[in-house]
Amino acid sequence: MSTPATLSPAALHRLVREGRAPRLLDVRTPGEFRAAHIPGSTNVPLHTLRAHRAELVGHLDAETVLVCRSGQRAKEAERALADAGLPELHVLDGGIAAWETAGAPVERGPERWDMERQVRLVAGSVVLVTGVAGIVVPGAHLIGTAIGAGLTFAAIRNSCALGVLLSRLPYNRGPRTDLRTVIAELRSSR
């Protein structure tokens, strides 16, 4: 499978300023999207995109740019849409993090921790607590070892089961993404 075409934040910002903005599909969680997103982008969380890619393909084209926090989930979305028959999409290189670093405009909502920071907090807390508890409770430290093994596996596979679990918490969900609303928004944005 070919590597998805990337678009730099500077190139995308130039297209937006010139009035030639492509369709922007943000595949982060609704909570992440509400916290900060590129003006004019449509939120279709990765799990929704995967589940409904056949319905979405008819509303997307090669002018679509996929956006996430760093670019990784956007590449996963690109592969899912390519498998559904839409092979030539673009991924924002470096995601919204690079977009913000470039000084491009962002619409902000309520501040919240990004998923990576939440994973570090939960994993670090479990390791710390089980390490200390291991002094009193024999074998408790093995829970921390299991978390370390899980994080190692997540790094190798470039996925994160803990992140997926945390994304399901009410704090991260935000408003529910309704497929009919998404499709209506995609229709109206062209």
Side-chain angles (χ1 to χ4, degrees):
M1 178 169 295
S2 65
T3 302
T6 58
L7 189 61
S8 73
L12 178 58
H13 193 212
R14 185 174 52 256
L15 290 172
V16 170
R17 282 192 321 261
E18 293 171 355
R20 300 184 303 135
R23 181 185 314 274
L24 301 172
L25 210 63
D26 192 316
V27 299
R28 296 174 300 148
T29 65
E32 289 174 295
F33 182 80
R34 278 184 54 200
H37 62 272
I38 298 172
S41 59
T42 301
N43 184 224
V44 183
L46 183 57
H47 70 277
T48 301
L49 182 139
R50 284 182 179 143
H52 299 286
R53 61 184 168 212
E55 296 98 325
L56 293 169
V57 164
H59 303 284
L60 304 173
D61 55 32
E63 296 299 312
T64 302
V65 176
L66 300 166
V67 179
C68 68
R69 182 183 165 278
S70 66
Q72 187 57 41
R73 282 179 280 180
K75 289 175 185 173
E76 291 178 39
E78 188 277 336
R79 286 189 291 273
L81 291 168
D83 290 346
L86 190 60
E88 297 182 26
L89 298 175
H90 299 277
V91 170
L92 178 60
D93 190 26
I96 194 159
W99 176 263
E100 286 185 279
T101 299
V106 173
E107 286 185 15
R108 295 207 179 276
E111 186 69 32
R112 62 181 58 232
W113 285 11
D114 64 40
M115 193 58 60
E116 182 181 328
R117 186 175 181 189
Q118 292 177 52
V119 167
R120 289 191 314 252
L121 173 70
V122 170
S125 296
V126 170
V127 170
L128 177 63
V129 168
T130 59
V132 171
I135 296 169
V136 179
V137 180
H141 71 284
L142 294 176
I143 296 170
T145 302
I147 293 291
L151 291 173
T152 302
F153 180 76
I156 292 168
R157 295 280 311 208
N158 204 14
S159 64
C160 186
L162 183 55
V164 170
L165 290 172
L166 290 172
S167 73
R168 294 186 177 147
L169 293 174
Y171 172 80
N172 291 315
R173 282 193 305 230
R176 187 176 169 157
T177 305
D178 174 50
L179 185 63
R180 282 182 286 186
T181 304
V182 167
I183 289 175
E185 190 174 331
L186 291 174
R187 283 183 182 150
S188 69
S189 68
R190 279 286 171 210

